[in-house]
Amino acid sequence: MSMTGGNDTEPVKTETTPPTSRRGRKKSSVWEHFTIEEVSGGCTRACCKLCKQTFAYSSGSKIAGTSHLKRHIALGSCPKIKFQNKLALAKVDGDTLDPPKRRYRSSGFSSVFDQDQSYVNLAKMIIVHEYPHDMVEHPAFVAFVHSLQPLFRMVDVNTIEGEVLSLYQKEKQNLIQVFGTMPGRISLTIGLWTTSQTLGYICLCGQFIDSEWKLHRRMLNFMMVSSPHSENALSEAISVSLSDWNMKSRLFTITLDNTCSSHDIYSANLRDHLSNKNMLMLKGQLFVVRCYANILNVIAEDVIASIHGIIYNIRESIKFVKASPAREEKFAEIALQLEILSTKALSLDVTTQWNTTYLMLVAALEYKQAFNFLETCDDNYNEAPTADDWKKVDVVCTYLKLLYDSANVVMAAADLTANIFFHEAWKTQAELTNATLSEDTMVSSIAKEMHEKFDKYWKDCSLVLALAVVMDPRFKMKLVEFSFSKIYGADSARYVKLVDDSVHELYLEYVEQPLPQTLAYVDQGEANHANGDDKNVPTTSMPAADGLQDFDMYLSELAVNQSSKSEIDQYLEESLMPRIQEFDILNWWKLNYLKYPTLSKMARDILAIPVSMVDTGCSIFSSGTGSRVLDEYRSSLRPETVEALFCAKDWLQYLPTMAEPPLAAVVNMET
């Protein structure tokens, strides 16, 4: 018997109690939940006492029965019963409710409706998917939610904004507790945002390695400032952020994403302003780092801009070929006649992503003869580049490939620890340096343009990159010596000594100025003691009765000589680890913490330096250069709301509940 939620016939305002059975049995327990309403035509309907929904019961002498009424109660179809969890399945006067024919099982899902939790979930949805707050007032959205859950009371704009701020504060307190157990220092990245107005924002993220040797990056603040490009604004924002997160004494480095011309100004002012408030390691030589992804983008975009006229012709040529299937077929026939066996397909680029422009040029190069031939046989086409143009594109692609491959290696890394960047940077520096010496004037002119900018980056950041690769037990100082010989030639010894001196000087600073112990370090110290590695604990030995007193003296002298050698020297003198692709550098330091207790602290901070501001798994090519622009909607919000939206979105992605939908594998049906 099908159920209906209403009837076109107006009901008669008459209520009766259901009749008892002819055999004198007591009435079914279902009538505790229903009453009988008479309607015109001699028909009656059963009305649910709780939700007021009506169902067919009798039509003349034909009675529909009560099975469908029992299912309404037993299956929880009644909103009042379903969401208030008041279903009563007890036997009443010897009669029981019929069991449902289908049972629904859910995983991790409660049938009890929770208004407050629904508000939290709505706030999370708005934060994570960047929906506007006023969507809670959109009639279509309100109707949709009501169709899913009639009991949900939709909130207004002010209330949902309050939920967003509350969620932000809760997650912030959780993150503060995480930072409270952070064993090392923190490094910051600083991104600049502008608005359509005169105001702007500074985005600060912190990167660190926790006590389990896991790398983390979290957004700390998204602060509005009147002049985001001012060095005073940067230093003030950093100071406020460090105070806000109780990390004034833990700042290690900052990484900037800005243009080459302003970098020196930023570096000098930030060092001067913050050195009075924070103890900078190695006299501030490592303090300001430049974003590797940013320098790749700046150089690539500048080189592409230098041949913009040629690229315009290539774009127009591809558009011409793809304008119709007939032209594409004709072009394919020409390529076949010329025996061009390319596997690359012609495609237009996305002008804001230089990697797509590079791929467009590489494919077009393989069809250059076809484009030239097409111009001779089609009067409508006259955009083919000249022979000199194609040669210039070839040279540009050769060196764009260098940047493209480097970017892809970085993006493929599971963890963006600082050690991986030295390999890419030194190879790029060496290639560009050699290319500037080319006898081909076209090659040398393009290479000089690229080398000028990358050489500035190399001079600013090569020390940071070198220190990071020294902390890689597969390379240590050996790769620095090898790579510097390729770059500096006979003068390399001087640069190698600079890195070696810096490594030892930084190590001594860690020996003399250790961070205050955190809970994680206390636990590890106790573990050291438990494993007999506490050198301060006096030891006793059994008297030698085997006539080897001289041997004992030898061992004692050997121990003194070994203990006089520092951890850093022991580490550098040991053999290199095998260069396996699956090598986990963070796990290696975790396993060797007891062997190098001080050096491992230094390695933890150095490896956590964010050499690139692009997160793991994100595209370097679309990161852009310079400031990013806040959209009109978010520009209109209060600054504290904007900060809550940006920070909470970043934090929520790391929660286990956000990893996969909580209702995945919700319903299984059994018959």
Side-chain angles (χ1 to χ4, degrees), residues 258-269 271 456 460:
N258 53 271
T259 59
C260 300
S261 59
S262 61
H263 176 70
D264 291 334
I265 300 175
Y266 281 131
S267 300
N269 283 278
R271 280 195 189 93
K456 173 63 176 171
D460 286 341

Side-chain angles (χ1 to χ4, degrees), residues 282 463 466-471 476-477 480 496-510 568-569 571-572 599 602 606:
L282 208 60
L463 178 59
L467 289 177
V469 84
V470 170
M471 293 297 101
K476 303 182 183 180
M477 283 296 299
V480 175
V496 171
K497 185 177 185 303
L498 175 63
V499 174
D500 188 67
D501 290 346
S502 298
V503 169
H504 285 82
E505 184 180 345
L506 184 60
Y507 169 76
L508 290 177
E509 291 185 17
Y510 273 83
I568 183 65
D569 287 332
Y571 168 76
L572 293 176
L599 186 61
M602 175 173 150
I606 291 177

Side-chain angles (χ1 to χ4, degrees), residues 259 293-308 311 350-355 357 396 400 403 449-450 453 620-626:
T259 59
N294 180 244
I295 194 63
L296 293 183
N297 287 342
V298 168
I299 295 174
E301 289 168 2
D302 284 353
V303 172
I304 288 173
S306 69
I307 59 168
H308 69 277
I311 293 177
V350 179
T351 57
T352 57
Q353 298 179 15
W354 66 265
N355 61 313
T357 304
V396 165
L400 282 180
L403 309 181
E449 183 180 352
M450 299 175 70
K453 289 183 172 62
I620 284 180
F621 309 110
S622 60
S623 63
T625 57

Side-chain angles (χ1 to χ4, degrees), residues 304-491:
I304 288 173
S306 69
I307 59 168
H308 69 277
I310 302 174
I311 293 177
Y312 172 83
N313 286 345
I314 292 175
R315 284 196 189 105
E316 293 301 312
S317 298
I318 296 175
K319 289 178 184 178
F320 180 85
V321 170
K322 289 183 166 292
S324 68
R327 286 181 181 175
E328 284 191 279
E329 185 176 351
K330 180 179 180 180
F331 190 79
E333 291 176 358
I334 293 174
L336 188 61
Q337 292 175 10
L338 296 174
E339 297 183 346
I340 299 174
L341 302 177
S342 174
T343 59
K344 296 181 175 63
L346 292 176
S347 62
L348 291 170
D349 61 334
V350 179
T351 57
T352 57
Q353 298 179 15
W354 66 265
N355 61 313
T356 64
T357 304
Y358 161 71
L359 294 174
M360 178 186 73
L361 296 179
V362 169
L365 266 174
E366 297 197 6
Y367 291 97
K368 63 180 181 180
Q369 292 180 336
F371 282 115
N372 294 335
F373 187 86
L374 181 64
E375 192 172 39
T376 63
C377 64
D378 192 328
D379 295 336
N380 296 318
Y381 173 65
N382 55 7
E383 301 287 351
T386 65
D388 286 341
D389 289 342
W390 284 118
K391 181 182 178 182
K392 200 163 191 177
V393 170
D394 191 17
V395 174
V396 165
C397 285
T398 298
Y399 293 101
L400 282 180
K401 183 179 187 301
L402 187 66
L403 309 181
Y404 177 78
D405 290 345
S406 181
N408 279 303
V409 167
V410 171
M411 289 192 298
D415 281 317
L416 288 179
T417 47
N419 59 298
I420 68 173
F421 293 90
F422 181 82
H423 306 270
E424 301 310 312
W426 86 259
K427 287 184 289 186
T428 301
Q429 174 71 357
E431 288 284 350
L432 293 178
T433 300
N434 292 335
T436 59
L437 306 176
S438 173
E439 296 180 356
D440 188 322
T441 56
M442 186 177 293
V443 172
S444 61
S445 62
I446 292 175
K448 286 177 181 177
E449 183 180 352
M450 299 175 70
H451 181 262
E452 181 181 355
K453 289 183 172 62
F454 197 86
D455 186 56
K456 173 63 176 171
Y457 172 83
W458 176 257
K459 289 176 180 176
D460 286 341
C461 298
S462 59
L463 178 59
V464 172
L465 301 178
L467 289 177
V469 84
V470 170
M471 293 297 101
D472 189 332
R474 296 170 296 175
F475 301 103
K476 303 182 183 180
M477 283 296 299
K478 300 301 182 183
L479 183 61
V480 175
E481 296 166 2
F482 172 78
S483 58
F484 280 16
S485 67
K486 299 290 185 181
I487 296 172
Y488 300 112
D491 201 26

Side-chain angles (χ1 to χ4, degrees), residues 539-559:
T539 59
T540 58
S541 59
M542 297 296 292
D546 52 6
L548 292 178
Q549 291 87 347
D550 290 344
F551 178 64
D552 291 335
M553 183 66 69
Y554 167 75
L555 292 179
S556 177
E557 292 175 354
L558 185 63

